[in-house]
Amino acid sequence: QVQLVESGGGLAQPGGSLTLSCAASGSIFSIYNMAWYRQAPGDQRELVARITTGDSTNYADSVKGRFTISRDNAKNTVFLQMTSLKPEDTAVYYCHALSDFAPPGAVGAWGQGTQVTVSS
């Protein structure tokens, strides 16, 4: 199983930037489709961005044009570059990994989450 550890969260001002990192260990990183989710208090966890093993990307409409997901397979790390941050981006951000070989309905692996707070 792959283990995931997020880092890079913190406090940012509206319009500011943060870059989140998710370091993977314990498995072959290149076979995993990676994603960032976020969850604000009282809300459901939502998909923010994903990147496949083939480097295809998808973004939630709310972050499109502002966030960029990327991966460095040599470093076993996925990144989320966040720019033009808004208060509504405030949430706990979670890294997620799902193997190309996972069976239907598989949960995949989750990181512990990192808090992002956007406020003046």
Side-chain angles (χ1 to χ4, degrees):
Q1 300 294 321
V2 64
Q3 293 81 48
L4 307 172
V5 179
E6 302 98 330
S7 62
L11 178 64
Q13 293 183 322
S17 300
L18 283 174
T19 297
L20 307 182
S21 299
C22 173
S25 63
S27 192
I28 303 172
F29 183 71
S30 60
I31 69 172
Y32 288 92
N33 304 285
M34 304 297 298
W36 287 96
Y37 288 74
R38 67 186 181 188
Q39 187 169 21
D43 290 347
Q44 298 282 78
R45 190 170 298 185
E46 64 174 350
L47 177 67
V48 176
R50 64 182 178 185
I51 184 166
T52 70
T53 57
D55 287 343
S56 296
T57 59
N58 287 283
Y59 298 91
D61 287 342
S62 59
V63 307
K64 193 171 297 182
R66 300 188 298 118
F67 291 10
T68 301
I69 188 170
S70 61
R71 65 193 297 160
D72 187 339
N73 288 344
K75 297 181 179 179
N76 291 350
T77 303
V78 63
F79 303 94
L80 185 67
Q81 296 173 281
M82 305 184 295
T83 62
S84 301
L85 285 164
K86 304 175 180 180
E88 51 262 45
D89 295 319
T90 297
V92 178
Y93 284 71
Y94 297 91
C95 185
H96 180 257
L98 186 65
S99 172
D100 273 342
F101 307 106
V107 173
W110 292 95
Q112 83 287 353
T114 185
Q115 176 72 47
V116 172
T117 301
V118 183
S119 176
S120 298

